[in-house]
Amino acid sequence: MSQYKDTVLVSGGAGYIGTHTAVALVEAGYDVVVIDNFSNSEPSAVEGLEKIIGRKVAFEEVDTCDLEALRGVFERHEFSTVIHFAAYKAVGESMTEPLKYYQNNLVSYMNILQLMKEFKRPNVLFSSSATVYGDAEVLPVTEETPRQPATSPYGNTKQIAEDILRDCCRAYEGFFGIALRYFNPIGAHPSALIGELPRGVPNNLIPFVTQTAAGVRECLSVFGNDYDTPDGTCLRDYIDVLDLAKAHVAAVDRMVDHKMKEKYEIFNVGTGTPVSVLELITRFMKATGVDLPYKIVGRRAGDVPAVWADTALANKELGWKAERDLDDTLRASWNWEKRVRGIK
């Protein structure tokens, strides 16, 4: 018998959410096999992950779009569950390079599913996104909220991937899938050994905030203050990446322990609390004591005014709840940025 509960393959495991999830899995008694091609991550992330858990992990540099290279991973390692993170994720870039996104995000994913079927590995956990809800008419959104037509090729790859997983679970015996729809992951590990490390211009708010605080950027742009929200800026559901990682562990537990009620399930992973962009900036300055220059600019194409989660289903079925305090999360993001920049 293995000393571990089970082994989980983590694709895109050197990425921001992937590294934190790998740590949470190991801390929960699982073993992990991490694969990544470093197209949007750094080898230092794997080193940080190993420092936190105090041992080496099985790591292979593999592009999940390369079916034969991926088949080698399946031949060399025994695992019953895969968490598929590997994907391009820049909404703006997907608008100008749709083929790049459809090719990478869907081919890599179908390769994983094909090999899961071929090798009779039962469990697939897919990292989906709240973007599938679009500009929802009723808030907060539940898992029953109708999906809106995607506003970007990136968002569309998430919708298509959900449908592919649902269809595979229906069609193939012994095949189970869970899609986790994330809201806005922020924060970093308290050790500051892993965190969000965007290449080039960030796509998310917090790296812009921390880079501005660090003096890497002169000023933070707030896209629009004329939305129909309390302070005119967009409302989002910001979830600490450590809480998000624990949701993955809860979902893996549900699969491995055969607790699923359907062969394909969907869960919202958020806090259930909307926070405006201006509120987040104010909270960051208060939590860290760092002054943050910002300016209001025009709205950004594709931004919905408000979206946040109803998390009742995940709370009940996964026995999981977001617990971390927003101020602690913002401080962790700043500590990570300081470490990356060598700021004392």
Side-chain angles (χ1 to χ4, degrees):
M1 280 292 288
S2 165
Q3 70 196 80
Y4 303 108
K5 280 202 270 198
D6 206 346
T7 301
V8 180
L9 176 71
V10 185
S11 79
Y16 173 45
I17 302 170
T19 48
H20 288 84
T21 300
V23 167
L25 285 163
V26 170
E27 288 175 346
Y30 289 94
D31 198 12
V32 292
V33 176
V34 174
I35 57 172
D36 207 300
N37 68 345
F38 298 126
S39 66
N40 196 29
S41 56
E42 303 289 342
S44 60
V46 181
E47 293 162 19
L49 148 66
E50 290 177 335
K51 273 187 191 156
I52 292 167
I53 63 171
R55 66 173 177 84
K56 288 278 188 199
V57 294
F59 173 80
E60 295 202 28
E61 189 172 341
V62 171
D63 183 343
T64 43
C65 286
D66 183 338
L67 182 63
E68 289 316 305
L70 194 55
R71 178 174 276 111
V73 174
F74 276 73
E75 286 167 347
R76 286 187 291 276
H77 300 280
E78 281 295 328
F79 48 85
S80 70
T81 305
V82 63
I83 304 180
H84 185 60
F85 292 114
Y88 293 148
K89 60 174 189 178
V91 172
E93 185 188 45
S94 81
M95 303 289 272
T96 57
E97 297 197 55
L99 276 178
K100 175 180 173 180
Y101 274 67
Y102 287 118
Q103 178 79 26
N104 182 75
N105 292 10
L106 296 177
V107 169
S108 66
Y109 179 59
M110 289 190 287
N111 284 347
I112 290 272
L113 295 176
Q114 183 182 328
L115 292 168
M116 292 298 281
K117 178 174 175 280
E118 197 178 302
F119 284 81
K120 295 187 167 47
R121 311 285 172 85
N123 305 322
V124 179
L125 183 52
F126 175 62
S127 93
S128 192
S129 163
T131 58
V132 302
Y133 295 117
D135 190 359
E137 288 173 20
V138 180
L139 292 167
V141 292
T142 74
E143 290 78 359
E144 301 300 315
T145 299
R147 295 187 321 188
Q148 301 284 350
T151 54
S152 70
Y154 162 76
N156 203 23
T157 64
K158 294 297 185 188
Q159 293 196 0
I160 293 167
E162 283 190 358
D163 294 345
I164 292 171
L165 184 56
R166 177 201 64 207
D167 293 345
C168 287
C169 292
R170 269 186 197 156
Y172 306 135
E173 202 181 326
F175 206 96
F176 300 88
I178 291 179
L180 295 184
R181 291 176 176 165
Y182 316 157
F183 284 71
N184 293 68
I186 62 170
H189 195 271
S191 65
L193 288 166
I194 52 175
E196 190 169 7
L197 192 63
R199 287 192 173 179
V201 180
N203 300 301
N204 301 328
L205 176 60
I206 287 296
F208 271 116
V209 167
T210 57
Q211 288 181 12
T212 305
V216 176
R217 300 181 182 280
E218 279 179 29
C219 189
L220 178 68
S221 294
V222 176
F223 297 107
N225 66 343
D226 57 350
Y227 287 100
D228 184 16
T229 59
D231 66 12
T233 63
C234 291
L235 290 172
R236 292 292 181 268
D237 187 336
Y238 296 100
I239 177 164
D240 189 296
V241 68
L242 271 70
D243 280 332
L244 178 57
K246 284 183 178 166
H248 288 81
V249 175
V252 171
D253 285 344
R254 185 174 175 84
M255 290 175 145
V256 169
D257 296 340
H258 307 292
K259 297 271 180 67
M260 291 175 69
K261 291 182 177 169
E262 307 284 339
K263 287 190 71 192
Y264 171 63
E265 298 179 334
I266 298 165
F267 297 102
N268 283 338
V269 185
T271 64
T273 305
V275 176
S276 79
V277 174
L278 280 182
E279 191 186 340
L280 195 76
I281 291 168
T282 308
R283 291 279 291 267
F284 179 86
M285 291 196 281
K286 210 167 161 186
T288 62
V290 179
D291 197 36
L292 207 59
Y294 67 89
K295 62 179 182 213
I296 309 293
V297 297
R299 291 184 178 193
R300 186 171 57 178
D303 276 346
V304 300
V307 64
W308 69 93
D310 180 322
T311 61
L313 189 68
N315 300 160
K316 177 172 176 273
E317 293 296 327
L318 296 178
W320 166 90
K321 196 172 191 303
E323 292 170 335
R324 290 182 64 78
D325 175 73
L326 181 59
D327 294 339
D328 290 342
T329 303
L330 294 170
R331 275 190 288 270
S333 290
W334 177 229
N335 289 338
W336 160 251
E337 185 73 42
K338 286 195 292 186
R339 182 177 162 270
V340 169
R341 304 284 167 198
I343 299 169
K344 288 287 181 260

